[in-house]
Amino acid sequence: MATSTTKALAGEEPPGGPGRTGGEGTARPRGALLHRLDVKGAPYAFVAPFFVVFAAFSFYPLVYTSWISLHDVELATLDVMEWVAFDNYVELWGDSRFWNALQNTLTIGVISTVPQLMMALGLAHLLNYRMRASLFFRVASLVPYATSVAAAALVFTMIFERDFGMINWALGTVGIDPVNWEADKWPAQVAISTIVIWRWTGYNALLYLAAMQAIPADRYEAASLDGASRWQQFTHVTIPGIRSTIVFTIVLSTIGATQLFGEPLIFGQGPNGVTGGADNQYQTLGLLLYEEGWKNYQMGRSATVAWAMFMLLVLVFVVQRLIKRLRSRTS
Amino acid sequence: MGTLGSLRRKAVATAAAVGALTLVVGCSSGDDSATGGGKKDGKTTITMGLYGVMGIKETGLLEQYEKENPDVDIKAEIAGDEQTYYTALQTRLAAGKGLKDIQGIEIGRAKEITETQADKFADFSKTAGTDHFLPWKESQISTEDGKVLGLGTDIGPMAVCYRKDYFEKAGLPTDREEVAKLWAGDWKKYVEVGRTFKKGFKGGDVAYMDAASGLFNAMVYGYPEQYYNDKGELIYDKNPAVKEAWNLAADAAEDGLSAKLRQFQPGWDPGLANGTFATAVCPAWMLSHISEKAGEPNKGKWDVARAPKGANWGGSFLGVVEKSPVKAEAQKLVAWLTAPEQQAHIFKEIGNIPSSRTALDNADVKNAKSAYFSNAPIGQIFGAAAQEIPDKQVLGRKDGTIKDTFSQGLTLIEQQGTARDEAWQTTAERIEKAVG
């Protein structure tokens, strides 16, 4: 198929190939053209809608954001722009709030992503067993993901409340002093991570489960014949079998963690939500962007944070590719 | 089974696709796409954007207006948190879309609106029957060239709400006259009473005040100039009034007199319901919040005493968007809602003090008592407090933001134990970022 079309494209007349002669007459070149369009053009037509939408809602905003980030402009008066070149970037580089937010994004990202993926892996492994009502458990594990961020965060905010929250009450019954979840840095970050973990563990577990079910059963049979225990089967058959899915979830979680926004915003409530705590103790990059744009109304600085986040993700991606290449070269 | 299964899958897939489509379509045809209401079939629809407890919807005024004007249909949307509301309003003003015909404007935002958005709001200076407001109230929403961008709803004269039962347990007087005498004339005395309270209170873990930021606001708003001077220059760091308030609030925080709460944030409401603090500096509009959140079990335990000094904390305006398709009708409605009778009605229902001179002189308003607050004569207390409000009140562009930033600075001292100079430094840096 492919070869015949390339030949046709190159203008070579197939020397009387079987089934290609006779009956077509003058219509032949046109038929070939349509055929060519169908084969070569159709895929473009099919993917076009996505790229049109992408251009309108992703690429254009990206470019426009970069344009704004080179200006001094306020939200209320978007038509009044003052060109400042890269001043916003220079300022951001020297701004302690940016580094603080970056650090918080990193720490919250790690303490939410690592336990989350581990738990998801374990959960998926359990769900992969033959058991009764497995469908129920699979659907149930997806329920937190279906809950809205706002609802989940609001409920957790109440649970983690200092004076009358459930967790401090529970700690009190075993004689532990109440923890000031919102005001102290690490408790606040742990509390926010809890919301993230609660919401995403089931989702990741289902991704893993799908991948696990694609592993041929005979590998497990062979392993058990060789005398491998459940745990050895898990580490030697399951994990290698779903490696690509694990990488995929890590990439997804990294992107998600970089953009962490709703959970800390609602967890803080009011002015503290926007600034990520009175001491910025849990301000993420997403919150810093929001604070600059929608509390200080400085769209230029806000757009700069957005671009900094984008470039960070690109950087992470490049570094990851480099490591991969290095590793494959050494092995 | 196989065909049935695949059929079912197809049905599910179709349903999912239809659902997703409806979602997309639903979003695009939402309320946000157009500005305000309109006229249809002889019926005028007016939309309103409000926040907090302004008393306009809560006290049935909108229904009354609809009854008196059968061709008018009013749709009011209320946001709980003013900060969130104002952020959305800014975004919509910038986009010129999604605005309501009538928009509430909080006092802390009035200057920013008059300076940057004056052309987007309708002028009330020629609307008939609107000459009954306190002069300083009207001047706050007027532009330099004499445009009046909104009409006043309430103002925020100040008192101190306190728990009689806790005062008794701490060996302090409980009668509101005597309590007021304890701190008459000086906020320092109010903090001093707190120290006595802390020493004297037996039985449980009760703080003297809810939050240091309440005290700070009460003090700062007692001065004609707060964060800006009347030339529009930022003077918060040179203004002795701000520094004095900061130091006294920090004293109270460091001495452990506050419950370390954040007003209007989670923890504050259950604090009211469970009685974790004995006093709160309360502008008139806060009474409805306290009685609602502290609830029926605490009725009669609360009382209101005069504040050491007069001040104005808060208050709002109603503006009409210039682009509104029903501008004239909306302006008429606003004039009616802010007329003396309606302001007096709101006061009687939930205790928001009128910004109308005529309403303040109304005998019903003057003699009003609050059953919830031990029958305190709130009409007299807040009426007298309103007289003490400085005649000149200089507003600044970022007043609201600066107020929030100072509250957070005090939270640093209260909750994180930051030294006050360091907290001041941080606050100053943040204001620099927010304003610059």
Side-chain angles (χ1 to χ4, degrees), chain B residues 330-406:
Chain B
Q331 282 194 299
K332 201 180 134 208
L333 172 60
V334 167
W336 184 83
L337 284 171
T338 55
E341 305 84 70
Q342 276 63 252
Q343 291 207 31
H345 171 79
I346 293 178
F347 171 75
K348 272 180 275 175
E349 293 285 324
I350 60 169
N352 289 2
I353 294 284
S355 60
S356 152
R357 264 181 295 125
T358 323
L360 279 171
D361 288 338
N362 180 323
D364 281 353
V365 172
K366 276 187 166 164
N367 299 325
K369 292 192 165 152
S370 164
Y372 190 90
F373 289 86
S374 314
N375 277 320
I378 51 171
Q380 279 172 19
I381 293 172
F382 287 112
Q387 301 301 320
E388 286 181 28
I389 295 173
D391 277 342
K392 197 175 136 196
Q393 295 245 338
V394 178
L395 296 182
R397 263 188 76 175
K398 302 277 184 181
D399 272 347
T401 309
I402 296 176
K403 184 198 81 183
D404 287 344
T405 311
F406 267 110

Side-chain angles (χ1 to χ4, degrees), chain A:
Chain A
M1 186 72 179
T3 47
S4 73
T5 39
T6 39
K7 272 183 192 158
L9 259 181
E12 270 178 49
E13 198 64 23
R20 280 196 159 261
T21 45
E24 287 177 16
T26 47
R28 236 180 86 208
R30 234 173 118 202
L33 181 75
L34 278 178
H35 180 71
R36 238 157 52 202
L37 264 182
D38 187 25
V39 174
K40 297 292 269 189
Y44 290 105
F46 287 136
V47 297
F50 169 77
F51 283 96
V52 169
V53 171
F54 172 80
F57 293 101
S58 295
F59 188 68
Y60 169 70
L62 201 68
V63 173
Y64 187 58
T65 306
S66 71
W67 178 243
I68 288 182
S69 74
L70 304 175
H71 290 81
D72 204 354
V73 56
E74 289 206 32
L75 175 65
T77 46
L78 275 177
D79 42 345
V80 189
M81 284 182 160
E82 191 197 330
W83 173 262
V84 294
F86 287 96
D87 281 7
N88 283 328
Y89 289 89
V90 175
E91 209 180 296
L92 191 70
W93 184 266
D95 193 339
S96 62
R97 292 178 311 156
F98 171 71
W99 298 106
N100 172 59
L102 181 61
Q103 196 195 339
N104 286 341
T105 308
L106 212 70
T107 51
I108 298 179
V110 169
I111 54 181
S112 62
T113 307
V114 174
Q116 179 197 138
L117 294 183
M118 307 267 254
M119 280 161 63
L121 208 53
L123 188 64
H125 184 61
L126 293 179
L127 286 173
N128 201 20
Y129 281 123
R130 269 176 212 286
M131 56 181 180
R132 262 183 222 177
S134 63
L135 187 67
F136 167 78
F137 287 111
R138 283 169 197 181
V139 171
S141 70
L142 204 58
V143 165
Y145 169 67
T147 320
S148 85
V149 196
L154 274 176
V155 170
F156 274 90
T157 304
M158 277 155 72
I159 294 176
F160 280 110
E161 212 266 310
R162 184 192 65 190
D163 291 337
F164 302 102
M166 217 153 75
I167 295 198
N168 274 352
W169 169 82
L171 289 178
T173 56
V174 292
I176 301 174
D177 281 344
V179 178
N180 200 346
W181 291 103
E182 201 271 332
D184 295 337
K185 180 171 177 167
W186 291 110
Q189 299 204 354
V190 168
I192 290 162
S193 304
T194 313
I195 311 174
V196 180
I197 292 171
W198 180 81
R199 277 194 76 226
W200 290 92
T201 301
Y203 175 82
N204 285 312
L206 282 199
L207 287 183
Y208 289 149
L209 179 64
M212 281 177 189
Q213 294 194 329
I215 300 174
D218 47 9
R219 282 199 210 163
Y220 288 101
E221 277 167 30
S224 63
L225 278 178
D226 287 344
S229 68
R230 288 266 192 206
W231 175 251
Q232 282 167 328
Q233 288 180 24
F234 179 66
T235 52
H236 288 99
V237 181
T238 311
I239 300 284
I242 62 168
R243 181 167 287 148
S244 57
T245 309
I246 295 178
V247 171
F248 173 68
T249 56
I250 291 174
V251 170
L252 271 193
S253 304
T254 309
I255 295 174
T258 315
Q259 297 172 336
L260 193 65
F261 171 68
E263 287 89 347
L265 178 74
I266 294 166
F267 181 73
Q269 308 251 328
N272 265 18
V274 181
T275 57
D279 204 14
N280 304 130
Q281 66 267 29
Y282 51 90
Q283 182 168 52
T284 60
L285 287 171
L287 279 182
L288 179 64
L289 182 154
Y290 185 69
E291 186 192 1
E292 290 285 34
W294 283 270
K295 181 182 163 232
N296 300 343
Y297 308 125
Q298 299 289 343
M299 295 319 279
R301 299 203 312 236
S302 186
T304 311
V305 180
W307 259 88
M309 285 168 74
F310 178 71
M311 288 186 290
L312 262 171
L313 278 178
V314 171
L315 189 74
V316 169
F317 181 72
V318 169
V319 168
Q320 183 245 338
R321 288 306 289 254
L322 278 179
I323 292 174
K324 208 174 167 189
R325 191 173 296 171
L326 276 178
R327 276 179 59 186
S328 64
R329 202 173 285 171
T330 49
S331 62

